[in-house]
């Protein structure tokens, strides 16, 4: 193996991220692309390269007629160790390299002067949260980077939302060996409280350090709530925040540091380091005007020429126009272009937008202090951006349109969201319509993975009919059915084509949720007509999905089965959605359960499981394990039921999906009763009750009924348990009935029930 190509592969941050994710298991490139927010094709290429280098191992899994590639780490043969936070490479000669993960996102520092007092204060502080605040350009970021070069760097921008933020932190914590947060998010759960607790737990357990730069840009209140939550509780971990305004994060555990200008001595060293020699009289004047503001001093060094007169009021603009005047054409146009963006741009993006050879221009601007860098990202300091917005001549529309197309070419959910944000800035109805269609066809997961980020963007254009369509989809996903319904009814006659079909199928769905099946039927008929006229497989699929669901709710399982098998046919023809395919397989299994044809349901559940595993869909995998456990229970194979429920139940507890965890626990508990393992049954019953107490999920109260059965079998006093269980389930007569029915399969319930009449 060629060591230098190995090192080259390893010195690429994306590759390292891939490897660190693979550390937690085998992955299909598609799911890996989702986790990392990358294009699947690009990821596959990287994986193949790393496979050639012997770092990873791909193997083909055969699923029906198709081959699916699954990658895992292959570290045994070569001496590479993925340690928390770094990768260690040791060669046979005993050389040792350490590659810290995510380091390059730090702002690079070449010159650093002064700040001894502040450094002393921060280093000697035992507070877990450090807030550095002060005006723009005063040196907050530089100070944080100097002190916390081993921290995870999060650059806040205006479009950020809690779900996006949490995903990035989850990814980072995963590199430190804490995967619960990422796993939780991948499972599709988005409870604010859970996210808060998991972030806290992850930071504490791994003693992580996180810098949040430019907090004042944050528009999502929930991120601020999260930080306040962390501030009160952090002990081992560290949070460093820079902001222009002083955030309120409590007082107990927070060191607030207001940053002022550099001292005269340090200011002098700074301009000296920039290669400028001034007389002491001249320096006194400059210091008097700048008050040691480091960005002003840096720019001054660029603008410097003999005999310039400065006044304090217009100092900044004056200096900037001096510096600007000295730039060449190419530098100016690049600077203008970049001033259109209020978030960092990647080198590749800048190159795509600027067109020309951008490398040397970018570096010359960087050296002049006009541009800042974080790893592979570049941006203008806010003060400079403000100045440039006044002298700007570039065509905003042209640049943004080009950017939108560039981002879409990258073909991943996160860049899709970014593209959407710029399409909104363009206020271009046609582009928005096109993007929504793309979301419906290609980026289906955006609604689950980044609902809030998407919601924030859409809210800006909330009167646009396509935005209403999508807002409805997000509200529906979040369980706000009435709100979704209202929006869809408003726009249903305004839209055509795939958009109309989407709204119609959504209407069928929401009316089912609201138990207004007549309305559902009406819209399903309309959808059927569209399906026939459109000849679009996507729409055909939606139609069958809704038909299945409606038939199921109407109590027509035979009809539902027919249409579910049609779903399966279409989804396989479309061929792109393993996740959806496994869901359909699961539904087919459920319908067979309803028909009491348990053997057939096992067949379909097993196929769903196979598919979910091949594509690393962990949520689906465990959902299927649970369904399998139920089917085995119904078949009377309690050993197998327990086995499957254990794996499903543990996962759901881990990702805090308590509703599903209780479902699994209930079947496991009843299976233990059937097997006569009363001790274990009792533990599960207690766990169910505990969950009911903390979440209010009613099935958990069935734990009391189970305890009554267990006590009865032991010959003890069961009455009190039964009474509590009945009392708690009083408001849920159907659930109570279902519990007795299921328990009745393994225990003679008449032994504990009070005699009627
Ligand atoms: P802020 O984060 O407060 O907006 P920055 O940290 O980005 O400010 O600093 C603005 C500019 O001043 C940067 O170009 C940086 O290089 C320079 N600078 C800030 N502090 C120092 C310092 N202590 N020594 C040298 N240069 C500094």
């Amino acid at each position: 193996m060629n060591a230098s190509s190995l090192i080259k592969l390893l010195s690429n941050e994306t590759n390292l991220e891939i490897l660190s994710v693979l550390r937690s298991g085998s992955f299909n490139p598609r799911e890996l692309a989702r986790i990392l927010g990358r294009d699947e094709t690009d990821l596959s290429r990287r994986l193949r390269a790393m496979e050639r280098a012997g770092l990873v191992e791909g193997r083909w899994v055969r699923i029906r007629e198709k081959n699916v590639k699954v990658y895992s780490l292959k570290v045994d043969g070569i001496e590479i160790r993925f340690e928390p936070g770094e990768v260690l490479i040791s060669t046979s000669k005993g050389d040792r390299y350490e590659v810290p993960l995510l380091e390059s996102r730090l702002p690079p520092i070449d010159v650093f002067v002064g700040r001894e007092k502040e450094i002393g204060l921060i280093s000697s502080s035992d507070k877990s949260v450090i807030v550095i605040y002060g005006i723009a350009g005063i040196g907050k970021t530089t100070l944080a980077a100097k002190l916390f070069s081993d921290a995870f760097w999060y650059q806040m921008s205006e479009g950020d939302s809690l779900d996006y933020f949490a995903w990035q932190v989850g990814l980072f914590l995963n590199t430190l060996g804490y995967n619960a947060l990422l796993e939780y998010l991948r499972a599709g759960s988005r409870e604010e409280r859970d996210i808060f607790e998991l972030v806290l737990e992850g930071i504490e357990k791994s003693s992580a350090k996180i810098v949040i730069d430019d907090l004042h840009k944050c528009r999502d209140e929930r991120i601020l709530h999260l930080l306040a939550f962390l501030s009160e509780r952090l002990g081992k971990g560290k949070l460093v925040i820079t902001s222009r305004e002083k955030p309120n994060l409590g007082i107990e555990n927070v060191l607030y540091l207001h940053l002022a200008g550099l001292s005269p001595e340090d200011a002098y060293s700074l301009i000296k380091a920039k290669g400028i020699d001034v007389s002491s009289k001249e320096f006194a004047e400059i210091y008097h005007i700048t008050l040691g503001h480091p960005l002003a001093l840096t720019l001054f060094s660029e603008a410097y020429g003999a005999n310039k007169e400065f006044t304090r009021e217009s100092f900044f603009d004056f200096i900037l126009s001096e510096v600007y005047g000295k730039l060449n054409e190419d530098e100016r146009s690049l600077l203008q272009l970049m001033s259109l963006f209020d978030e960092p741009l990647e080198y590749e993006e800048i190159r795509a937008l600027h067109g020309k050879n951008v490398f040397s221009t970018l570096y010359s601007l960087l050296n002049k202090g006009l541009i800042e860098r974080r790893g592979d990202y570049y941006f203008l300091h806010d003060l400079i951006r403000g100045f440039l917005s006044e002298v700007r001549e570039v065509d905003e529309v042209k640049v943004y349109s080009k950017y939108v197309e560039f981002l879409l070419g990258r073909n991943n959910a996160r860049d899709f969201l970014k593209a959407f944000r710029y399409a909104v800035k363009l206020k271009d109805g046609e582009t928005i319509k096109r993007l929504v269609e793309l979301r419906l066809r290609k980026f289906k997961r955006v609604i689950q993975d980044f609902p809030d980020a998407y919601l924030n963007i859409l809210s800006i254009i909330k009167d646009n009919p396509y935005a209403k369509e999508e807002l409805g989809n997000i509200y529906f996903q979040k369980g706000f059915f009435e709100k979704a319904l209202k929006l869809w009814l408003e726009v249903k006659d305004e839209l055509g084509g795939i958009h109309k079909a989407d709204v119609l199928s959504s209407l069928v769905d929401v009316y089912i949720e609201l138990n207004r099946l007549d309305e559902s039927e009406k819209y399903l008929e309309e959808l059927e007509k569209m399906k026939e006229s459109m000849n679009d497989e996507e729409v055909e699929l939606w139609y069958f999905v809704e038909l299945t669901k409606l038939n199921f709710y109407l109590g027509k399982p035979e009809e539902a089965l027919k249409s579910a098998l049609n779903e399966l046919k279409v989804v396989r023809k479309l061929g792109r959605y393993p996740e959806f395919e496994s869901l359909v397989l699961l539904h087919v299994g459920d319908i067979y359960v309803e028909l009491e044809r348990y053997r057939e349901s096992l067949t379909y559940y097993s196929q769903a499981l196979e598919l979910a595993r091949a594509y690393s869909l962990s949520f689906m995998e465990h959902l299927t394990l649970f369904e399998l456990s139920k089917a085995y229970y119904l078949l009377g194979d309690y050993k197998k039921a327990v086995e499957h429920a254990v794996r499903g139940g543990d996962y759901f507890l881990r990702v805090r999906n308590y509703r599903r965890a209780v479902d699994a626990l209930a079947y496991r508990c009843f299976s233990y009763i059937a097997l006569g393992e009363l001790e274990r049954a009792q533990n599960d019953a207690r766990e169910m009750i505990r969950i009911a107490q903390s979440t209010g999920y009613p099935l958990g109260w069935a734990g009391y009924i189970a305890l009554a059965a267990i006590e009865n079998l032991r010959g003890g006093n069961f009455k009190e348990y039964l009474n509590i269980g009945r009392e708690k389930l009083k408001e849920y007569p159907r659930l109570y009935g279902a519990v007795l029915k299921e328990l009745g399969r393994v225990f003679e319930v008449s032994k504990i029930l009070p005699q009627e009449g």
Side-chain angles (χ1 to χ4, degrees), residues 335-433:
L335 214 50
Q336 289 212 6
L337 178 108
M338 290 183 65
S339 75
L340 286 174
F341 295 88
D342 52 17
E343 62 194 326
L345 289 175
E346 254 176 273
Y347 176 69
E348 233 183 278
E349 296 176 326
I350 299 172
R351 203 177 52 183
L353 290 174
H354 193 61
K356 290 157 251 176
N357 178 19
V358 74
F359 191 78
S360 55
T361 317
L362 201 55
Y363 273 81
S364 124
L365 291 172
L366 204 58
N367 286 334
K368 295 189 164 88
L370 292 164
I371 283 184
E372 297 194 36
R373 180 160 85 91
R374 304 271 186 283
D376 208 20
Y377 287 88
Y378 300 82
F379 58 100
L380 299 191
H381 202 283
D382 290 338
L383 282 176
I384 296 168
R385 192 153 56 89
F387 166 80
L388 277 163
S389 64
E390 280 157 34
V391 299
R392 191 156 59 207
E393 290 161 355
V394 277
D395 182 353
E396 202 172 278
V397 173
K398 219 162 111 195
V399 175
Y400 286 165
S401 306
K402 200 164 166 189
Y403 192 45
V404 168
E405 296 312 319
F406 174 81
L407 290 170
L408 291 179
R410 283 190 161 175
N411 196 20
N412 72 67
R414 280 176 228 179
D415 284 317
F416 167 80
L417 278 176
K418 222 185 206 182
F420 211 117
R421 224 173 44 238
Y422 284 90
V424 166
K425 281 190 208 249
L426 283 169
K427 296 195 190 70
D428 173 8
E430 270 312 305
T431 308
I432 288 164
K433 178 177 168 188

Side-chain angles (χ1 to χ4, degrees), residues 110-115 134-143 213-214 242 244 259 262 270 274 294-295 298 369 372 374 381:
D110 40 348
V111 183
F112 185 89
V113 303
R115 301 295 193 204
I135 58 168
I138 201 72
K140 304 179 288 294
T141 303
T142 309
L143 179 61
D213 197 12
D214 289 341
T242 78
R244 272 195 219 158
L259 205 58
L262 298 166
L270 180 58
K274 300 274 172 189
L295 182 60
T298 304
E372 297 194 36
R374 304 271 186 283
H381 202 283

Side-chain angles (χ1 to χ4, degrees), residues 608-620:
L609 182 64
E610 195 185 18
L611 202 64
R613 284 196 172 142
Y615 284 94
S616 335
L617 307 166
S618 22
F619 184 79
M620 194 59 78

